[in-house]
Amino acid sequence: MGRHNRRRVEAEPVLRSTANERREHWRGVEYAVRTVSGANAVKPYRCPGCDQEIQPGVAHVVTWPADDLGAGNRRHWHTPCWAAREHRAPTRRG
């Protein structure tokens, strides 16, 4: 039997619910919120709450709209920034 050289089309990755994931509402939108250790991070992320970098190895939360099954709109927040999101407006860069 011959070899198939066609490229497989992979489905969009879906983030599965885990024990450290919860749902929270903010500004009328339900968000999936996942706590991460940061140990596997290879780059810094910019927190939308304070506009500061989250360095690799720093524990933080990742959030995305709950209806975004591929989590393409996920954002990395410092844990205290996410907790205080109701009391501050997102910072604007630029």
Side-chain angles (χ1 to χ4, degrees):
M1 182 164 231
R3 209 174 114 190
H4 294 264
N5 289 328
R6 283 180 269 160
R7 177 182 274 170
R8 288 185 183 175
V9 177
E10 298 292 329
E12 184 88 12
V14 176
L15 293 178
R16 307 237 185 267
S17 181
T18 64
N20 62 349
E21 186 178 305
R22 61 192 181 277
R23 301 295 171 120
E24 295 185 19
H25 286 85
W26 183 41
R27 295 183 176 171
V29 177
E30 183 180 34
Y31 283 86
V33 181
R34 184 177 293 177
T35 303
V36 295
S37 69
N40 295 329
V42 295
K43 66 177 188 175
Y45 295 99
R46 184 147 315 260
C47 174
C50 67
D51 199 33
Q52 300 297 310
E53 286 188 346
I54 302 170
Q55 294 299 320
V58 174
H60 60 282
V61 295
V62 180
T63 67
W64 63 93
D67 62 356
D68 180 8
L69 299 179
N73 292 316
R74 65 185 173 273
R75 298 291 177 259
H76 296 253
W77 292 70
H78 290 107
T79 303
C81 292
W82 176 254
R85 69 193 180 279
E86 296 291 342
H87 308 292
R88 64 196 303 175
T91 56
R92 292 187 177 213
R93 292 177 29 190

